[in-house]
Amino acid sequence: MRHVIVIGAGITGVTTAYELALLGYQVTVVDQHLYPAMETSYANGGQLSACNAEVWNQKATVLKGLKWMSQKAAPLLLNPSFSMHKYSWLMEFMGNIRHYETNTRETVKMALLARKRLFEIAETEQIEFDLEKRGILHFYHTEQDYKVAMKVNDLLCSGGLERNAISNEEIKQIEPTLTGDYYAGFFSRSDATGDIHKFTTGLAKACADKGVLFLFGQNVQAIEQKDDYIRISCMPSSENSNTNPQERLELKADAIVVCAGVGSYQLSYLLGDRVNVYPVKGYSITVQLNDEQSQQNAPWVSLLDESAKIVLSRLGKDRLRIAGTAEFNGYNRDIRADRIQPLIDWTHRNFDISTEYVIPWTGLRPMMPNMMPVVRQGKHKRVFYNTGHGHLGWTLSAATAAMISQQVAQTYPVA
């Protein structure tokens, strides 16, 4: 039986392992953490959002970033300290402005396919992950922002998205718990929300039931590429206290698929490739709806506030996830109070709920300069990549997992 190693047990790694197992491969998943979905797949905004498929490569984004550099609470924050990786990435980002429309359309198409596939997987494997198919409501505060959004909406719809313009009155009808006044918005009825961590851990269990082996608490240290096999060497990570820290683990396979999120940048160099993933930091809060009034006054329809760049998703009866911000600050994972507070303040401005019990979180989005995921074979014939999904890993993972699995199957058929 053909053996494939998947590096990374986040949403992309686990969905890739699942698709490969369905095709009949022996699959081993390696991850530095002790459990699946402990990095960016832990507490994201929750949206399965084809309506948020617009890539960021616009001059307006660059200008806003420069304008916001001195504002600690700004939606986009750039640490100006020198980093060759950061500034080379930003130069490539600007070079991809000319591909904005093409890449946005392609992302919409991919998101629609992914959504369909994820629903199929969840139903087949009976995974409970607080799925809500109530659509996503995108609202705007000013006429100027809305006029810009109308052009974006036309572009998204040209990629196949069904999304309707709505008035302030219709916004309140769709989600009556909103307490503010808004200029207008758009509603994507077919989009959805869910808990990415619950889904990924549930799918990991389904993978294990299909024979997938998970090796947690292992750091990949070296990779040996040969014509007839590939071998990886691992050492126990700092989290793995149950193993001798000097005990080396070696695995031999027919192919590997790198699904390592922001770690893909370093791994690609080990493999002789360049996958220019940069860690773009995002924050979220999970509001515990412990009292009946907050549960009643919290929204069920998922929301996206354009001016604040904040998203909201209801995760079951007693949780509300609010997420946002983009921070270019290297691999820093510190949870900053001045980045969390704007999320809490936004919640108070728009809803009559208690934020007495709030859990803050931060994660590093693995972003490519063109904002497109890397789903391809490496220079070496036994190396494949499924990484670099940025802010749309939850949205796109089911599609890219199927795509990369088919590429592996074409190169190394099971039979």
Side-chain angles (χ1 to χ4, degrees):
M1 182 183 292
R2 297 276 196 186
H3 181 208
V4 180
I5 296 171
V6 175
I7 302 178
I11 184 64
T12 56
V14 174
T15 50
T16 298
Y18 179 79
E19 296 291 354
L20 287 167
L22 290 182
L23 292 173
Y25 290 93
Q26 177 190 348
V27 183
T28 301
V29 180
V30 179
D31 194 276
Q32 64 180 326
H33 296 292
L34 300 182
Y35 310 97
M38 294 304 291
E39 285 272 347
T40 313
S41 300
Y42 188 78
N44 73 350
Q47 292 187 334
L48 293 160
S49 52
C51 68
N52 200 21
E54 179 193 12
V55 299
W56 297 0
N57 304 85
Q58 290 197 80
K59 292 180 181 177
T61 305
V62 177
L63 293 174
K64 285 179 180 178
L66 294 172
K67 175 184 174 182
W68 287 334
M69 278 179 63
S70 61
Q71 302 176 27
K72 290 185 177 181
L76 190 154
L77 193 63
L78 171 67
N79 184 338
S81 63
F82 181 75
S83 159
M84 183 63 74
H85 183 197
K86 177 170 57 185
Y87 282 101
S88 66
W89 188 96
L90 289 169
M91 291 300 293
E92 287 188 44
F93 175 91
M94 289 188 286
N96 277 282
I97 290 174
R98 65 184 183 274
H99 302 305
Y100 161 76
E101 291 191 3
T102 299
N103 287 348
T104 294
R105 287 194 192 94
E106 185 62 29
T107 305
V108 172
K109 293 175 183 177
M110 204 184 308
L112 295 174
L113 291 172
R115 188 175 63 196
K116 181 175 183 292
R117 179 58 183 149
L118 187 140
F119 290 164
E120 291 172 351
I121 293 171
E123 184 175 355
T124 299
E125 303 301 337
Q126 293 296 292
I127 301 172
E128 169 54 46
F129 62 107
D130 296 318
L131 174 64
E132 293 293 338
K133 296 182 179 180
R134 301 185 190 231
I136 294 178
L137 172 59
H138 196 155
F139 60 82
Y140 304 83
H141 295 267
T142 67
E143 182 180 7
Q144 181 181 355
D145 285 346
Y146 185 67
K147 284 183 176 178
V148 172
M150 289 177 69
K151 296 178 182 178
V152 176
N153 187 64
D154 290 342
L155 178 59
L156 294 171
C157 291
S158 71
L161 180 68
E162 294 181 7
R163 192 168 182 242
N164 302 316
I166 54 173
S167 65
N168 179 49
E169 290 73 21
E170 290 171 312
I171 288 174
K172 297 298 183 65
Q173 291 172 6
I174 293 169
E175 185 43 72
T177 63
L178 281 162
T179 58
D181 285 316
Y182 315 98
Y183 180 80
F186 293 97
F187 186 50
S188 307
R189 190 175 299 277
S190 57
D191 274 337
T193 58
D195 188 322
I196 186 174
H197 186 259
K198 281 188 175 182
F199 179 87
T200 308
T201 54
L203 187 59
K205 183 180 183 303
C207 286
D209 291 342
K210 289 177 170 51
V212 174
L213 175 64
F214 286 86
L215 298 176
F216 293 113
Q218 297 291 332
N219 276 322
V220 176
Q221 298 290 317
I223 303 175
E224 181 185 9
Q225 304 175 69
K226 298 293 185 180
D227 287 339
D228 53 350
Y229 68 87
I230 191 164
R231 190 199 319 268
I232 71 169
S233 297
C234 304
M235 295 291 285
S237 68
S238 58
E239 297 182 24
N240 195 344
S241 59
N242 296 323
T243 306
N244 183 339
Q246 303 302 317
E247 185 176 341
R248 181 178 292 272
L249 173 67
E250 293 196 345
L251 299 169
K252 184 178 177 182
D254 295 286
I256 67 169
V257 185
V258 177
C259 305
V262 295
S264 303
Y265 177 74
Q266 289 83 7
L267 283 172
S268 70
Y269 274 100
L270 280 178
L271 293 161
D273 294 310
R274 182 174 183 270
V275 177
N276 196 17
V277 168
Y278 188 82
V280 180
K281 190 175 182 180
Y283 292 84
S284 78
I285 57 172
T286 302
V287 180
Q288 302 292 325
L289 306 171
N290 292 342
D291 61 281
E292 186 176 344
Q293 181 178 343
S294 291
Q295 291 175 8
Q296 292 176 352
N297 292 343
W300 282 97
V301 174
S302 184
L303 305 170
L304 201 163
D305 182 343
E306 174 61 30
S307 64
K309 304 295 185 185
I310 288 176
V311 304
L312 174 148
S313 299
R314 183 74 174 262
L315 301 178
K317 176 184 177 182
D318 56 3
R319 289 187 302 151
L320 200 61
R321 177 71 49 73
I322 297 101
T325 76
E327 187 175 308
F328 290 79
N329 195 21
Y331 293 87
N332 179 285
R333 289 176 169 83
D334 293 344
I335 299 178
R336 292 172 44 179
D338 60 350
R339 304 295 277 164
I340 292 296
Q341 191 60 47
L343 300 177
I344 297 173
D345 294 343
W346 180 89
T347 305
H348 284 298
R349 284 197 305 271
N350 291 281
F351 305 98
D352 182 18
I353 64 174
S354 170
T355 56
E356 182 178 1
Y357 302 99
V358 168
I359 302 172
W361 175 84
T362 188
L364 303 178
R365 308 179 186 98
M367 285 194 173
M368 291 294 291
N370 62 356
M371 306 297 293
M372 301 294 288
V374 180
V375 189
R376 62 171 174 82
Q377 193 172 23
K379 290 180 182 177
H380 194 279
K381 63 182 180 179
R382 297 185 181 275
V383 175
F384 298 82
Y385 294 93
N386 180 20
T387 190
H389 296 65
H391 66 299
L392 293 174
W394 184 211
T395 297
L396 300 179
S397 57
T400 62
M403 291 161 59
I404 200 64
S405 299
Q406 289 300 320
Q407 288 187 35
V408 172
Q410 290 171 11
T411 310
Y412 300 102
V414 175

